[in-house]
Structure formats: C-alpha cells, structure tokens
Amino acid sequence: MAPDQDLEDMSADALRVEVRRLRAAIREHRDATGHALCWHHPRMWALLPEGVDPEIEVPEWPRFLRGCVAYRESLDRQAPGAPRTDAEFER
C-alpha cells in the first residue's frame, strides 16, 4: 500500500479523529522540555500506519556528545530567553 493510501478510505469523521490524534502527539512532542528534549521518540513514529521499526544508527560517544553540544547550542540561539534548569536526569 502506498503511504497515506489509508486516508482515501476514511470517512470525514474518521479523518477528524486521526487529525486530533496526530495533533495531540505533535503537541506532546512540541511541549517536551528539560531532558525530554534529547530522547529517541518511537512513540511518535508509531503513529504512522506503516508500523515499521526504524533502524537507527548510534554515533560513537565522542561524536554523539558533539551532536548533543551542538543541539544545546542551537537552543541558546533559537530560545535565548528560555528559563534554565539544573535538574538532573532521572531514569
């Protein structure tokens, strides 16, 4: 089946339900803060009807940490007025 072909067979009511479900997930992701900004998000991907398990590549530690630092630096540029926290990550 072609991606999004399932939408063709949905009623208007079913499409509205789907849009609300996707918007809720997007808002949850958008509203993530603190340490949650850095996480792998398979729940978001699971919203797609394809149901594939993405094969991820994980960078070696030094490269991974450089990426984390670059991401955190981008937050300074994109949200310079965001409050800062000193909360530790908890598993």
Side-chain angles (χ1 to χ4, degrees):
M1 179 185 338
D4 302 327
Q5 183 61 39
D6 60 319
L7 299 175
E8 300 302 322
D9 299 327
M10 287 185 179
S11 68
D13 286 339
L15 285 169
R16 281 190 284 277
V17 168
E18 181 69 1
V19 167
R20 287 186 184 101
R21 182 176 79 97
L22 296 174
R23 283 183 176 188
I26 292 167
R27 288 182 181 114
E28 180 183 352
H29 183 69
R30 174 201 65 193
D31 295 343
T33 190
H35 293 285
L37 293 171
C38 298
W39 285 98
H40 178 69
H41 293 279
R43 282 184 24 221
M44 175 74 89
W45 306 328
L47 296 169
L48 294 170
E50 294 91 273
V52 298
D53 188 16
E55 293 183 22
I56 63 170
E57 292 182 351
V58 179
E60 294 294 335
W61 275 108
R63 292 174 193 260
F64 181 80
L65 292 174
R66 283 194 295 273
C68 291
V69 169
Y71 175 63
R72 180 57 183 79
E73 288 171 343
S74 77
L75 291 173
D76 281 337
R77 289 189 305 277
Q78 295 174 49
R84 302 302 190 238
T85 179
D86 64 352
E88 289 289 338
F89 168 72
E90 294 181 21
R91 293 178 196 217

